[in-house]
Amino acid sequence: MPTTSLRDSNILQDFTVWIGDNGKIGEAPNFQPPEININTEEFRGGGMDGTIEIPMGIEKIEFDFELHTWDVDVWNNLGYGPGSIDVPVKFYGYMLTPGGTEKGVQIYTRSLIKSIKPSKVEPGKKVTLSVHLVANYYRQVVDGNKVTEIDVFNKVTIIGGVDKTARARTYLGIGGIASSL
């Protein structure tokens, strides 16, 4: 059985965070990419000898990042009012491949800035802002290839290049494919 080692891994090297068209280069000491979870329900039908979990869609997509600056872009986009759930927040990074080449990694979201938590203010110490977001759109691209795309409002879930919800959209009449009666 083949084993993998660090030599076989893609190592994430560096990153930047963007809010809209404003890069936070050097201002973001960390970024927690969104955790993608499948919402499931337990099911046990007649004749089954146990329960299984069946997929029921995508759970809420939440993530965080931190800034070393008192950032007006973040404060101005705090989620309330028209457009507040569609703030473009992007993560650009690169990883080193096993062969020593670099691959780009991009995560694009449209998000609600749900909370901003400033750190304690003390003389002679920098203040950080912890920003918590909830995304309604998520796309991950690695080396120019779309790995995952989730568009909650338009019922699009593409995983590994396969549109898992295309037929469901057709049946629901979403996306201009509605049948005529």
Side-chain angles (χ1 to χ4, degrees):
M1 174 183 286
T3 61
T4 58
S5 69
L6 189 56
R7 274 177 285 178
D8 303 323
S9 302
N10 291 311
I11 308 294
L12 194 60
Q13 296 285 303
D14 205 356
F15 71 95
T16 60
V17 174
W18 291 71
I19 299 172
D21 293 328
N22 298 314
K24 306 302 172 187
I25 298 167
E27 298 175 18
N30 64 60
F31 174 81
Q32 174 61 59
E35 183 175 328
I36 306 298
N37 293 306
I38 305 300
N39 185 25
T40 63
E41 286 190 19
E42 283 191 8
F43 174 77
R44 181 174 181 175
M48 292 176 63
D49 200 20
T51 60
I52 61 170
E53 291 195 22
I54 53 175
M56 298 297 288
I58 303 293
E59 288 185 356
K60 182 168 49 168
I61 302 171
E62 298 184 86
F63 64 106
D64 301 284
F65 66 89
E66 193 171 276
L67 294 172
H68 282 309
T69 59
W70 196 270
D71 195 283
V72 175
D73 282 335
V74 172
W75 288 104
N76 286 342
N77 284 293
L78 181 60
Y80 192 77
S84 64
I85 64 172
D86 288 318
V87 175
V89 178
K90 300 169 277 193
F91 165 88
Y92 295 151
Y94 69 91
M95 59 185 163
L96 190 60
T97 67
T101 59
E102 295 170 345
K103 288 183 179 179
V105 177
Q106 296 89 34
I107 295 174
Y108 303 91
T109 73
R110 286 191 305 263
S111 300
L112 166 72
I113 297 178
K114 185 175 177 181
S115 67
I116 303 170
K117 181 180 178 186
S119 65
K120 182 189 246 183
V121 179
E122 298 180 54
K125 294 191 178 185
K126 69 178 178 263
V127 174
T128 60
L129 294 179
S130 295
V131 183
H132 182 73
L133 303 100
V134 179
N136 67 71
Y137 177 85
Y138 170 89
R139 182 175 75 234
Q140 180 188 162
V141 177
V142 176
D143 199 30
N145 299 306
K146 183 174 21 177
V147 176
T148 306
E149 182 175 23
I150 299 166
D151 185 340
V152 175
F153 288 123
N154 293 304
K155 196 169 181 64
V156 173
T157 304
I158 298 171
I159 300 171
V162 177
D163 188 342
K164 305 285 187 170
T165 51
R167 290 181 62 90
R169 287 193 309 276
T170 300
Y171 296 139
L172 295 171
I174 299 173
I177 309 172
S179 62
S180 30
L181 297 175

